[in-house]
Amino acid sequence: MLHPRIQEVTERVIERSKETRQAYLERIAHAKKQTRVRAGLGCGNIAHVMAACSSDDKARLKSDEQPNLAIINAYNDMLSAHVPYKDYPEIIKSLATKFDATAQVAGGVPAMCDGVTQGRDGMELSLFSRDVIAMSTAVSLSHDVFDGVFCLGVCDKIVPGLLIGALSFGHLPTYFLPAGPMQSGIPNKEKARVRQKFAQGLVSREELLEAESASYHSAGTCTFYGTANSNQMLMEIMGLHLPGSSFINPYTELRDGLTGHAVETMLKQLIETKNANCLADVVSEKTIINGLVGLLSTGGSTNHAIHLVAIAKAAGVILTWKDMADLSEVVPLLTRIYPNGSADVNHFQAAGGMGFLMKQLLSKGYLHNDVKTIVGEGLEAYTTEPMLDKDSSVIMTNSTGPSKVKWVACPEKSHDEEVLRPIDNPFSKQGGLQLLTGNLGKAVIKVSAVAESHQVVSAPAKVFSSQGELQEAYSRGELNTDFIAVLKEQGPKAKGMPELHKLTPVMATLQDQGYKVAIVTDGRMSGASGKVPAAIHLAPEAVEGGVIAKIHEGDLVTLDAPAGVLKVHVSDEELAKRELQLSQPSQTYGTGRELFAGFRNIVSSADLGASAFGLE
């Protein structure tokens, strides 16, 4: 039976979303009526579609009898996670030909790397890029010539943007194809240790670069459990990946087999069984709740406190941080993956991976099983794991054609309970994210990575307007004390809500030295940020008159994660007297400032960094 809290939150989301969800589904129903859109195109239109195609593909497109698949590709050869996608379009096209169908690269989307832009001007375009990706995806699908969609993307803003854009064309079946994580490099704890040593001036830049390069060393997703790998978890638990496919390394036989199997599966659904579930049916209110449960049970990236709200809104579902907080009270934490622990996603996969995780959550009613996925109805298929089919005596499940992949039952027990736990022995009885409220507004904290002894900090404020200011204060020896770093003017309207990951080594070093420290900001922290308590995404932001702008140096601030409290100990009367310590948003946003100016004009912190996506 479904857990009572899951049922309660789901029912109120459904009730709250009645009008918006119905309006969305009506738009999708209208689009579904145009079953063979290409047949309605004029001769000039269809000539443009097939002008550069082979003679065989031209014949297929002219006849309009077989599917034409859209490929939306985030490939570039600078971003390691997306390098494997170089070969995917040709794989998809080749398999389509075997089914007498066609496939076309409908468009490409930008895929910036937050790891490269950390602390640089480009980071101010990071959140903005999600909306660009969403629009690019929708533009790519606007030609009305496609019967199915493959979205190729992995990291940070890319997957949410692809999904938001694809939901505008939710009448189409849509698969997300993962590329997989790189092989494990040096242990994450060792990488963090070297970063802290560098922050203290104890190792050289050459030594730091050597450690970073030993961690980020080949094609594939970074192996820590940040936003990129949280994306992959999310796509699988929401039924948009093939079961068990999220964390298979690139350039392996199994990875290639899964890619081929996904293409074959969609084509069989479109041509033979005629039972392909469209994206709008897969992404429902219950699917969104499943995604949120997955995020909480794995201690996933805080960035999804923003992205899931935006994804839900694109499907006509209104989700709030209160929903997240109420679920977090009861959803157990079942994984320890860096920065929540020392293991990486390859260790998680080896311990039992998504199949074991989802089986455990289903067993106690934490997931809705009455949902649709890209492979059918319900989540039972997602409690299995894929393997290469090299033994013809083994009975295959969901295995077809040359992909040679079979699905077998996931392990009954975790292979490593330091990484992945059963539901009756969780790391914590509560989820990995927590809502904080108080006279400062609303914020989010990732508690799964913070030791209990550090989850309550009450200390004087030190106020900064940039990461650089804090780093300079540290270099001058001014931070050897208990304090809460207040970083204002980092919100979506002020600066695009950049990630403030460069704070982590400095603040972690001070914490290790025994000081009580924490961070309060209207900006974001990276999905890789960990052991220092950080109240982030604070709304309202400083430049919109948020109380964070009225905090003075030395004001006592309390961050109490277990109690869900964030406040400054200043009377309402005193706060009312204080003039807002505001500066106008900087007009120097690097090379992207003209683009960002338009974004800034339509967002606010109350929108969680994305226009029209609001808080409760």
Side-chain angles (χ1 to χ4, degrees), residues 48-77:
H48 279 290
V49 171
M50 61 186 189
C53 293
S54 68
S55 57
D56 287 342
D57 279 353
K58 283 182 178 179
R60 296 182 181 102
L61 289 166
K62 282 180 183 177
S63 67
D64 191 32
E65 293 176 354
Q66 295 290 77
N68 185 34
L69 307 178
I71 304 167
I72 312 295
N73 200 353
Y75 163 77
N76 64 52
D77 61 10

PDB file of all heavy atoms in Angstrom, residues 48-77:
ATOM      1  N   HIS A  48      11.532  20.553 -48.253  1.00  0.00           N
ATOM      2  CA  HIS A  48      12.579  21.060 -47.364  1.00  0.00           C
ATOM      3  C   HIS A  48      13.004  19.995 -46.350  1.00  0.00           C
ATOM      4  O   HIS A  48      14.180  19.865 -46.026  1.00  0.00           O
ATOM      5  CB  HIS A  48      12.074  22.290 -46.615  1.00  0.00           C
ATOM      6  CG  HIS A  48      12.140  23.552 -47.405  1.00  0.00           C
ATOM      7  ND1 HIS A  48      13.325  24.161 -47.723  1.00  0.00           N
ATOM      8  CD2 HIS A  48      11.160  24.334 -47.933  1.00  0.00           C
ATOM      9  CE1 HIS A  48      13.092  25.266 -48.415  1.00  0.00           C
ATOM     10  NE2 HIS A  48      11.779  25.390 -48.573  1.00  0.00           N
ATOM     11  N   VAL A  49      12.028  19.224 -45.847  1.00  0.00           N
ATOM     12  CA  VAL A  49      12.322  18.207 -44.841  1.00  0.00           C
ATOM     13  C   VAL A  49      13.307  17.177 -45.368  1.00  0.00           C
ATOM     14  O   VAL A  49      14.227  16.751 -44.662  1.00  0.00           O
ATOM     15  CB  VAL A  49      11.019  17.500 -44.394  1.00  0.00           C
ATOM     16  CG1 VAL A  49      11.328  16.294 -43.504  1.00  0.00           C
ATOM     17  CG2 VAL A  49      10.118  18.477 -43.665  1.00  0.00           C
ATOM     18  N   MET A  50      13.142  16.777 -46.630  1.00  0.00           N
ATOM     19  CA  MET A  50      13.927  15.653 -47.141  1.00  0.00           C
ATOM     20  C   MET A  50      14.966  16.055 -48.176  1.00  0.00           C
ATOM     21  O   MET A  50      15.602  15.189 -48.793  1.00  0.00           O
ATOM     22  CB  MET A  50      12.978  14.616 -47.761  1.00  0.00           C
ATOM     23  CG  MET A  50      12.165  15.117 -48.933  1.00  0.00           C
ATOM     24  SD  MET A  50      10.964  13.853 -49.469  1.00  0.00           S
ATOM     25  CE  MET A  50      10.365  14.606 -51.001  1.00  0.00           C
ATOM     26  N   ALA A  51      15.201  17.333 -48.326  1.00  0.00           N
ATOM     27  CA  ALA A  51      16.102  17.796 -49.388  1.00  0.00           C
ATOM     28  C   ALA A  51      17.480  17.153 -49.325  1.00  0.00           C
ATOM     29  O   ALA A  51      18.063  16.799 -50.354  1.00  0.00           O
ATOM     30  CB  ALA A  51      16.226  19.320 -49.319  1.00  0.00           C
ATOM     31  N   ALA A  52      18.037  17.006 -48.151  1.00  0.00           N
ATOM     32  CA  ALA A  52      19.402  16.482 -48.011  1.00  0.00           C
ATOM     33  C   ALA A  52      19.433  14.997 -47.700  1.00  0.00           C
ATOM     34  O   ALA A  52      20.502  14.445 -47.415  1.00  0.00           O
ATOM     35  CB  ALA A  52      20.140  17.250 -46.919  1.00  0.00           C
ATOM     36  N   CYS A  53      18.289  14.327 -47.734  1.00  0.00           N
ATOM     37  CA  CYS A  53      18.231  12.902 -47.384  1.00  0.00           C
ATOM     38  C   CYS A  53      18.687  12.027 -48.549  1.00  0.00           C
ATOM     39  O   CYS A  53      18.716  12.441 -49.714  1.00  0.00           O
ATOM     40  CB  CYS A  53      16.801  12.511 -47.012  1.00  0.00           C
ATOM     41  SG  CYS A  53      16.220  13.279 -45.490  1.00  0.00           S
ATOM     42  N   SER A  54      19.000  10.785 -48.227  1.00  0.00           N
ATOM     43  CA  SER A  54      19.308   9.806 -49.270  1.00  0.00           C
ATOM     44  C   SER A  54      18.049   9.509 -50.076  1.00  0.00           C
ATOM     45  O   SER A  54      16.928   9.809 -49.639  1.00  0.00           O
ATOM     46  CB  SER A  54      19.837   8.524 -48.640  1.00  0.00           C
ATOM     47  OG  SER A  54      18.799   7.878 -47.912  1.00  0.00           O
ATOM     48  N   SER A  55      18.233   8.898 -51.219  1.00  0.00           N
ATOM     49  CA  SER A  55      17.067   8.587 -52.056  1.00  0.00           C
ATOM     50  C   SER A  55      16.122   7.621 -51.343  1.00  0.00           C
ATOM     51  O   SER A  55      14.897   7.732 -51.449  1.00  0.00           O
ATOM     52  CB  SER A  55      17.516   7.993 -53.394  1.00  0.00           C
ATOM     53  OG  SER A  55      18.314   6.836 -53.181  1.00  0.00           O
ATOM     54  N   ASP A  56      16.686   6.680 -50.574  1.00  0.00           N
ATOM     55  CA  ASP A  56      15.841   5.729 -49.845  1.00  0.00           C
ATOM     56  C   ASP A  56      15.027   6.449 -48.767  1.00  0.00           C
ATOM     57  O   ASP A  56      13.825   6.184 -48.596  1.00  0.00           O
ATOM     58  CB  ASP A  56      16.700   4.646 -49.199  1.00  0.00           C
ATOM     59  CG  ASP A  56      17.258   3.663 -50.211  1.00  0.00           C
ATOM     60  OD1 ASP A  56      16.717   3.602 -51.334  1.00  0.00           O
ATOM     61  OD2 ASP A  56      18.228   2.964 -49.874  1.00  0.00           O
ATOM     62  N   ASP A  57      15.678   7.348 -48.027  1.00  0.00           N
ATOM     63  CA  ASP A  57      14.957   8.079 -46.990  1.00  0.00           C
ATOM     64  C   ASP A  57      13.923   9.021 -47.602  1.00  0.00           C
ATOM     65  O   ASP A  57      12.841   9.228 -47.028  1.00  0.00           O
ATOM     66  CB  ASP A  57      15.926   8.866 -46.105  1.00  0.00           C
ATOM     67  CG  ASP A  57      16.581   7.989 -45.045  1.00  0.00           C
ATOM     68  OD1 ASP A  57      16.185   6.816 -44.913  1.00  0.00           O
ATOM     69  OD2 ASP A  57      17.497   8.466 -44.346  1.00  0.00           O
ATOM     70  N   LYS A  58      14.234   9.596 -48.760  1.00  0.00           N
ATOM     71  CA  LYS A  58      13.239  10.432 -49.431  1.00  0.00           C
ATOM     72  C   LYS A  58      11.994   9.621 -49.766  1.00  0.00           C
ATOM     73  O   LYS A  58      10.856  10.084 -49.578  1.00  0.00           O
ATOM     74  CB  LYS A  58      13.829  11.039 -50.705  1.00  0.00           C
ATOM     75  CG  LYS A  58      14.768  12.214 -50.463  1.00  0.00           C
ATOM     76  CD  LYS A  58      15.281  12.793 -51.776  1.00  0.00           C
ATOM     77  CE  LYS A  58      16.182  13.995 -51.511  1.00  0.00           C
ATOM     78  NZ  LYS A  58      16.727  14.584 -52.752  1.00  0.00           N
ATOM     79  N   ALA A  59      12.203   8.416 -50.224  1.00  0.00           N
ATOM     80  CA  ALA A  59      11.055   7.564 -50.576  1.00  0.00           C
ATOM     81  C   ALA A  59      10.225   7.256 -49.329  1.00  0.00           C
ATOM     82  O   ALA A  59       8.986   7.262 -49.375  1.00  0.00           O
ATOM     83  CB  ALA A  59      11.555   6.279 -51.223  1.00  0.00           C
ATOM     84  N   ARG A  60      10.901   6.982 -48.207  1.00  0.00           N
ATOM     85  CA  ARG A  60      10.179   6.687 -46.964  1.00  0.00           C
ATOM     86  C   ARG A  60       9.377   7.901 -46.496  1.00  0.00           C
ATOM     87  O   ARG A  60       8.223   7.781 -46.060  1.00  0.00           O
ATOM     88  CB  ARG A  60      11.158   6.244 -45.889  1.00  0.00           C
ATOM     89  CG  ARG A  60      11.883   4.937 -46.183  1.00  0.00           C
ATOM     90  CD  ARG A  60      12.798   4.527 -45.041  1.00  0.00           C
ATOM     91  NE  ARG A  60      13.505   3.293 -45.340  1.00  0.00           N
ATOM     92  CZ  ARG A  60      14.782   3.241 -45.738  1.00  0.00           C
ATOM     93  NH1 ARG A  60      15.485   4.358 -45.850  1.00  0.00           N
ATOM     94  NH2 ARG A  60      15.354   2.078 -46.009  1.00  0.00           N
ATOM     95  N   LEU A  61      10.005   9.061 -46.546  1.00  0.00           N
ATOM     96  CA  LEU A  61       9.330  10.273 -46.084  1.00  0.00           C
ATOM     97  C   LEU A  61       8.164  10.645 -46.999  1.00  0.00           C
ATOM     98  O   LEU A  61       7.127  11.126 -46.531  1.00  0.00           O
ATOM     99  CB  LEU A  61      10.335  11.425 -45.989  1.00  0.00           C
ATOM    100  CG  LEU A  61      11.346  11.314 -44.840  1.00  0.00           C
ATOM    101  CD1 LEU A  61      12.491  12.306 -45.025  1.00  0.00           C
ATOM    102  CD2 LEU A  61      10.666  11.561 -43.496  1.00  0.00           C
ATOM    103  N   LYS A  62       8.324  10.434 -48.285  1.00  0.00           N
ATOM    104  CA  LYS A  62       7.241  10.724 -49.214  1.00  0.00           C
ATOM    105  C   LYS A  62       6.014   9.850 -48.931  1.00  0.00           C
ATOM    106  O   LYS A  62       4.872  10.310 -48.954  1.00  0.00           O
ATOM    107  CB  LYS A  62       7.701  10.474 -50.661  1.00  0.00           C
ATOM    108  CG  LYS A  62       8.567  11.568 -51.258  1.00  0.00           C
ATOM    109  CD  LYS A  62       8.941  11.173 -52.687  1.00  0.00           C
ATOM    110  CE  LYS A  62       9.879  12.200 -53.320  1.00  0.00           C
ATOM    111  NZ  LYS A  62      10.298  11.783 -54.680  1.00  0.00           N
ATOM    112  N   SER A  63       6.273   8.570 -48.651  1.00  0.00           N
ATOM    113  CA  SER A  63       5.156   7.647 -48.450  1.00  0.00           C
ATOM    114  C   SER A  63       4.429   7.912 -47.138  1.00  0.00           C
ATOM    115  O   SER A  63       3.240   7.599 -47.013  1.00  0.00           O
ATOM    116  CB  SER A  63       5.661   6.203 -48.465  1.00  0.00           C
ATOM    117  OG  SER A  63       6.487   5.958 -47.325  1.00  0.00           O
ATOM    118  N   ASP A  64       5.130   8.475 -46.172  1.00  0.00           N
ATOM    119  CA  ASP A  64       4.544   8.825 -44.874  1.00  0.00           C
ATOM    120  C   ASP A  64       3.870   7.620 -44.211  1.00  0.00           C
ATOM    121  O   ASP A  64       2.822   7.735 -43.595  1.00  0.00           O
ATOM    122  CB  ASP A  64       3.534   9.971 -45.033  1.00  0.00           C
ATOM    123  CG  ASP A  64       3.114  10.546 -43.679  1.00  0.00           C
ATOM    124  OD1 ASP A  64       3.944  10.553 -42.749  1.00  0.00           O
ATOM    125  OD2 ASP A  64       1.948  10.965 -43.548  1.00  0.00           O
ATOM    126  N   GLU A  65       4.490   6.459 -44.354  1.00  0.00           N
ATOM    127  CA  GLU A  65       3.923   5.249 -43.768  1.00  0.00           C
ATOM    128  C   GLU A  65       4.705   4.765 -42.556  1.00  0.00           C
ATOM    129  O   GLU A  65       4.180   3.991 -41.749  1.00  0.00           O
ATOM    130  CB  GLU A  65       3.876   4.125 -44.817  1.00  0.00           C
ATOM    131  CG  GLU A  65       2.901   4.413 -45.950  1.00  0.00           C
ATOM    132  CD  GLU A  65       2.935   3.347 -47.020  1.00  0.00           C
ATOM    133  OE1 GLU A  65       3.813   2.445 -46.910  1.00  0.00           O
ATOM    134  OE2 GLU A  65       2.110   3.402 -47.942  1.00  0.00           O
ATOM    135  N   GLN A  66       5.959   5.193 -42.410  1.00  0.00           N
ATOM    136  CA  GLN A  66       6.802   4.741 -41.326  1.00  0.00           C
ATOM    137  C   GLN A  66       7.255   5.935 -40.481  1.00  0.00           C
ATOM    138  O   GLN A  66       7.252   7.081 -40.942  1.00  0.00           O
ATOM    139  CB  GLN A  66       8.030   4.011 -41.871  1.00  0.00           C
ATOM    140  CG  GLN A  66       7.703   2.704 -42.612  1.00  0.00           C
ATOM    141  CD  GLN A  66       7.231   1.623 -41.661  1.00  0.00           C
ATOM    142  OE1 GLN A  66       6.095   1.645 -41.204  1.00  0.00           O
ATOM    143  NE2 GLN A  66       8.113   0.677 -41.350  1.00  0.00           N
ATOM    144  N   PRO A  67       7.649   5.684 -39.228  1.00  0.00           N
ATOM    145  CA  PRO A  67       8.000   6.790 -38.328  1.00  0.00           C
ATOM    146  C   PRO A  67       9.247   7.552 -38.776  1.00  0.00           C
ATOM    147  O   PRO A  67      10.161   6.999 -39.392  1.00  0.00           O
ATOM    148  CB  PRO A  67       8.270   6.084 -36.992  1.00  0.00           C
ATOM    149  CG  PRO A  67       7.640   4.744 -37.110  1.00  0.00           C
ATOM    150  CD  PRO A  67       7.700   4.379 -38.549  1.00  0.00           C
ATOM    151  N   ASN A  68       9.252   8.814 -38.431  1.00  0.00           N
ATOM    152  CA  ASN A  68      10.441   9.660 -38.568  1.00  0.00           C
ATOM    153  C   ASN A  68      10.796  10.135 -37.161  1.00  0.00           C
ATOM    154  O   ASN A  68       9.973  10.780 -36.493  1.00  0.00           O
ATOM    155  CB  ASN A  68      10.164  10.851 -39.487  1.00  0.00           C
ATOM    156  CG  ASN A  68      11.407  11.665 -39.742  1.00  0.00           C
ATOM    157  OD1 ASN A  68      12.521  11.137 -39.810  1.00  0.00           O
ATOM    158  ND2 ASN A  68      11.242  12.974 -39.899  1.00  0.00           N
ATOM    159  N   LEU A  69      11.981   9.794 -36.686  1.00  0.00           N
ATOM    160  CA  LEU A  69      12.377  10.070 -35.311  1.00  0.00           C
ATOM    161  C   LEU A  69      13.217  11.336 -35.222  1.00  0.00           C
ATOM    162  O   LEU A  69      14.120  11.553 -36.036  1.00  0.00           O
ATOM    163  CB  LEU A  69      13.182   8.879 -34.746  1.00  0.00           C
ATOM    164  CG  LEU A  69      12.524   7.504 -34.864  1.00  0.00           C
ATOM    165  CD1 LEU A  69      13.450   6.441 -34.303  1.00  0.00           C
ATOM    166  CD2 LEU A  69      11.173   7.491 -34.152  1.00  0.00           C
ATOM    167  N   ALA A  70      12.931  12.150 -34.218  1.00  0.00           N
ATOM    168  CA  ALA A  70      13.707  13.359 -33.973  1.00  0.00           C
ATOM    169  C   ALA A  70      14.824  13.065 -32.980  1.00  0.00           C
ATOM    170  O   ALA A  70      14.618  12.368 -31.979  1.00  0.00           O
ATOM    171  CB  ALA A  70      12.803  14.459 -33.414  1.00  0.00           C
ATOM    172  N   ILE A  71      15.986  13.602 -33.257  1.00  0.00           N
ATOM    173  CA  ILE A  71      17.127  13.512 -32.345  1.00  0.00           C
ATOM    174  C   ILE A  71      17.478  14.927 -31.903  1.00  0.00           C
ATOM    175  O   ILE A  71      17.774  15.790 -32.729  1.00  0.00           O
ATOM    176  CB  ILE A  71      18.344  12.866 -33.032  1.00  0.00           C
ATOM    177  CG1 ILE A  71      18.000  11.489 -33.587  1.00  0.00           C
ATOM    178  CG2 ILE A  71      19.532  12.803 -32.065  1.00  0.00           C
ATOM    179  CD1 ILE A  71      19.044  10.938 -34.547  1.00  0.00           C
ATOM    180  N   ILE A  72      17.404  15.172 -30.591  1.00  0.00           N
ATOM    181  CA  ILE A  72      17.828  16.461 -30.029  1.00  0.00           C
ATOM    182  C   ILE A  72      19.140  16.200 -29.297  1.00  0.00           C
ATOM    183  O   ILE A  72      19.162  15.478 -28.300  1.00  0.00           O
ATOM    184  CB  ILE A  72      16.787  17.040 -29.048  1.00  0.00           C
ATOM    185  CG1 ILE A  72      15.377  16.998 -29.641  1.00  0.00           C
ATOM    186  CG2 ILE A  72      17.171  18.462 -28.645  1.00  0.00           C
ATOM    187  CD1 ILE A  72      15.178  17.872 -30.843  1.00  0.00           C
ATOM    188  N   ASN A  73      20.207  16.784 -29.780  1.00  0.00           N
ATOM    189  CA  ASN A  73      21.541  16.386 -29.340  1.00  0.00           C
ATOM    190  C   ASN A  73      22.266  17.513 -28.616  1.00  0.00           C
ATOM    191  O   ASN A  73      22.351  18.634 -29.118  1.00  0.00           O
ATOM    192  CB  ASN A  73      22.375  15.941 -30.544  1.00  0.00           C
ATOM    193  CG  ASN A  73      23.564  15.083 -30.151  1.00  0.00           C
ATOM    194  OD1 ASN A  73      23.864  14.918 -28.965  1.00  0.00           O
ATOM    195  ND2 ASN A  73      24.247  14.538 -31.140  1.00  0.00           N
ATOM    196  N   ALA A  74      22.803  17.196 -27.431  1.00  0.00           N
ATOM    197  CA  ALA A  74      23.597  18.150 -26.661  1.00  0.00           C
ATOM    198  C   ALA A  74      25.095  17.890 -26.838  1.00  0.00           C
ATOM    199  O   ALA A  74      25.906  18.371 -26.046  1.00  0.00           O
ATOM    200  CB  ALA A  74      23.240  18.070 -25.183  1.00  0.00           C
ATOM    201  N   TYR A  75      25.465  17.170 -27.877  1.00  0.00           N
ATOM    202  CA  TYR A  75      26.873  16.821 -28.087  1.00  0.00           C
ATOM    203  C   TYR A  75      27.759  18.050 -28.236  1.00  0.00           C
ATOM    204  O   TYR A  75      27.426  19.006 -28.923  1.00  0.00           O
ATOM    205  CB  TYR A  75      27.019  15.956 -29.342  1.00  0.00           C
ATOM    206  CG  TYR A  75      28.455  15.894 -29.850  1.00  0.00           C
ATOM    207  CD1 TYR A  75      29.385  15.092 -29.199  1.00  0.00           C
ATOM    208  CD2 TYR A  75      28.865  16.660 -30.940  1.00  0.00           C
ATOM    209  CE1 TYR A  75      30.706  15.046 -29.637  1.00  0.00           C
ATOM    210  CE2 TYR A  75      30.175  16.619 -31.383  1.00  0.00           C
ATOM    211  CZ  TYR A  75      31.096  15.811 -30.729  1.00  0.00           C
ATOM    212  OH  TYR A  75      32.405  15.779 -31.156  1.00  0.00           O
ATOM    213  N   ASN A  76      28.871  18.050 -27.531  1.00  0.00           N
ATOM    214  CA  ASN A  76      30.047  18.836 -27.908  1.00  0.00           C
ATOM    215  C   ASN A  76      31.272  18.082 -27.422  1.00  0.00           C
ATOM    216  O   ASN A  76      31.167  17.196 -26.577  1.00  0.00           O
ATOM    217  CB  ASN A  76      29.999  20.281 -27.372  1.00  0.00           C
ATOM    218  CG  ASN A  76      30.029  20.369 -25.860  1.00  0.00           C
ATOM    219  OD1 ASN A  76      30.898  19.797 -25.205  1.00  0.00           O
ATOM    220  ND2 ASN A  76      29.083  21.108 -25.295  1.00  0.00           N
ATOM    221  N   ASP A  77      32.447  18.391 -27.954  1.00  0.00           N
ATOM    222  CA  ASP A  77      33.617  17.598 -27.586  1.00  0.00           C
ATOM    223  C   ASP A  77      34.486  18.288 -26.536  1.00  0.00           C
ATOM    224  O   ASP A  77      35.629  17.907 -26.317  1.00  0.00           O
ATOM    225  CB  ASP A  77      34.447  17.199 -28.809  1.00  0.00           C
ATOM    226  CG  ASP A  77      34.997  18.375 -29.589  1.00  0.00           C
ATOM    227  OD1 ASP A  77      34.909  19.518 -29.086  1.00  0.00           O
ATOM    228  OD2 ASP A  77      35.538  18.147 -30.686  1.00  0.00           O
TER     229      ASP A  77
END
